[in-house]
């Protein structure tokens, strides 16, 4: 339970706090933060949440879904609500997290 709470706090910070930070910077700084966030930080965090969920799939299967949901919530709040491009990114993060969860669960099961 403690790991889950720590993960949730980190997820809220990354998926809600960083988009807010990108909006507060003007010009190219905000754009650079968006590129780093969308193409490095969020995919890596989706992989991490999938690996964590793969340790106990029956209890933690919801982590990749929460990660993608928090991402969509964060970008819709701070960028543009209802923007369909963010649904594509959220779906990609969901797929990345589920694949990481299934791979880790398969590896754990084989041991």
């Amino acid at each position: 339970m403690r790991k889950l709470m720590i993960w949730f706090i980190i997820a809220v910070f990354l998926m809600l706090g960083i988009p807010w930070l990108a909006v507060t910077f003007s010009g190219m700084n905000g754009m650079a933060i968006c590129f780093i966030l969308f193409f490095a930080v969020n995919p890596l965090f989706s992989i991490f949440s999938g690996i964590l969920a793969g340790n106990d799939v029956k209890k933690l299967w919801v982590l990749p879904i929460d990660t993608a949901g928090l991402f969509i919530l964060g970008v819709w709040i701070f960028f543009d609500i209802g923007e369909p491009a963010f649904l594509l990114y959220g779906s990609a993060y969901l797929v990345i997290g589920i694949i990481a969860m299934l791979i880790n669960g398969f590896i754990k099961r084989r041991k």
Side-chain angles (χ1 to χ4, degrees):
M1 189 62 143
R2 180 178 163 95
K3 285 183 182 180
L4 190 59
M5 291 304 292
I6 292 171
W7 173 87
F8 188 73
I9 291 169
I10 293 170
V12 167
F13 172 73
L14 284 176
M15 299 300 174
L16 297 177
I18 304 287
W20 171 80
L21 187 65
V23 171
T24 59
F25 287 118
S26 63
M28 295 303 287
N29 293 333
M31 186 62 71
I33 290 173
C34 287
F35 279 126
I36 292 169
L37 184 66
F38 292 162
F39 297 115
V41 174
N42 288 342
L44 289 174
F45 189 71
S46 296
I47 292 170
F48 176 71
S49 69
I51 290 171
L52 184 63
N55 290 332
D56 189 3
V57 176
K58 290 182 181 179
K59 292 181 183 176
L60 302 175
W61 61 270
V62 75
L63 293 183
I65 297 169
D66 285 345
T67 301
L70 283 171
F71 166 76
I72 292 171
L73 179 68
V75 294
W76 277 2
I77 288 173
F78 296 111
F79 291 109
D80 186 17
I81 196 159
E83 176 64 38
F86 294 134
L87 289 174
L88 179 66
Y89 281 106
S91 299
Y93 301 149
L94 177 63
V95 168
I96 289 169
I98 289 173
I99 289 171
M101 177 182 68
L102 293 174
I103 290 172
N104 191 29
F106 180 73
I107 291 171
K108 293 284 183 181
R109 183 179 279 181
R110 292 196 81 197
K111 286 184 179 182

